[in-house]
Amino acid sequence: MISEVLRSAIDQQINRELYSSYLYMAAASHLASENFPGMASWMQTQADEEMVHARKFIKFVEDRDATVSFDAIDKPHADFTTPLSAFESALEHERLITRHINDLYTLALEQSDYACQGLLQWFINEQVEEEAMVTEVVEKLRRAGDNGAALLMLDRQLSARDADGSE
Ligand code: OFO
C-alpha cells in the first residue's frame, strides 16, 4: 500500500508529466511550422519520453494496489517565438520539474516509503540528464544567434537525436 498523501502527490506529478508531453508537442509543432524539422523532431522525441515518464508513475501506483486519479491537463504556456525561446522555455520547465521531483523525494522520505524512493531516484538522475541536454542546446542556440547557416546546421544536428536522448 501507498499512503494517501504520497499517492495524491504522485497523481499531481503524473499530470505534470502529461503536461510536459503536451508542452513539448506544442513546441515540436511550432518548430515544424517554422521549417526547423530537426528541432521539431527533437521536441517530439522529448514529448514521447514524457509520456514514458507518466506511464512509469502510473504503473508504480497500480503496482502498489492503488488507483490513479486523472486531472485536466493545462494549455501549454511557453514562448515559442524563436527556437532559442522554445528551448529556454523547455529548460525553465525542466528546472521546475526537478524541484517537484525533489519535493516528492522528501515526501517519500517522510513517509518512509522505500519503494517510492527507489522510483524517484531514477527520476532524479533523469532530471540531471535532461537539464544538461537542454542546456547544451540553449547554449548552442545562443552562440548561433541570428546566423541562418549556423541555425540550419544545428537543426540538422538535432534531427539526429536518438530516443534515449543522445545525438
Ligand atoms: Fe522532462 O522529465 Fe519528465 O517531466
Side-chain angles (χ1 to χ4, degrees):
M1 279 301 286
I2 187 167
S3 74
E4 184 49 31
V5 63
L6 195 47
R7 190 204 56 78
S8 163
I10 293 175
D11 278 352
Q12 288 174 41
Q13 186 58 31
I14 290 166
N15 188 272
R16 285 184 205 108
E17 300 293 347
L18 293 171
Y19 173 82
S20 300
S21 184
Y22 207 29
L23 182 74
Y24 282 112
M25 212 179 295
S29 176
H30 191 85
L31 288 163
S33 71
E34 294 291 320
N35 294 310
F36 289 111
M39 295 184 202
S41 159
W42 191 102
M43 288 287 190
Q44 187 54 53
T45 300
Q46 189 60 36
D48 295 344
E49 280 207 11
E50 300 299 349
M51 288 302 277
V52 172
H53 294 172
R55 283 201 295 271
K56 250 183 202 293
F57 278 117
I58 292 167
K59 174 138 188 2
F60 178 78
V61 172
E62 291 166 356
D63 286 350
R64 300 293 298 280
D65 201 21
T67 305
V68 175
S69 166
F70 289 90
D71 213 338
I73 302 167
D74 286 344
K75 181 181 164 73
H77 291 292
D79 180 0
F80 302 135
T81 325
T82 62
L84 176 59
S85 64
F87 278 89
E88 279 175 339
S89 294
L91 181 56
E92 194 184 323
H93 178 69
E94 287 306 332
R95 287 176 174 153
L96 176 71
I97 292 294
T98 297
R99 290 197 290 276
H100 283 297
I101 294 286
N102 290 343
D103 287 348
L104 261 178
Y105 191 85
T106 303
L107 185 59
L109 282 175
E110 284 166 9
Q111 299 284 312
S112 301
D113 192 319
Y114 305 110
C116 195
Q117 288 166 34
L119 174 78
L120 290 168
Q121 190 57 59
W122 184 91
F123 278 96
I124 288 166
N125 297 341
E126 178 74 1
Q127 284 308 117
V128 171
E129 275 180 30
E130 290 201 342
E131 282 195 32
M133 191 172 60
V134 185
T135 298
E136 189 182 320
V137 180
V138 165
E139 282 171 8
K140 284 179 179 171
L141 281 166
R142 281 184 185 147
R143 245 175 276 144
D146 288 333
N147 182 324
L151 283 172
L152 283 180
M153 205 165 73
L154 190 50
D155 188 59
R156 207 169 313 128
Q157 195 186 331
L158 291 175
S159 71
R161 177 183 177 184
D162 291 334
D164 69 357
S166 57
E167 282 166 20

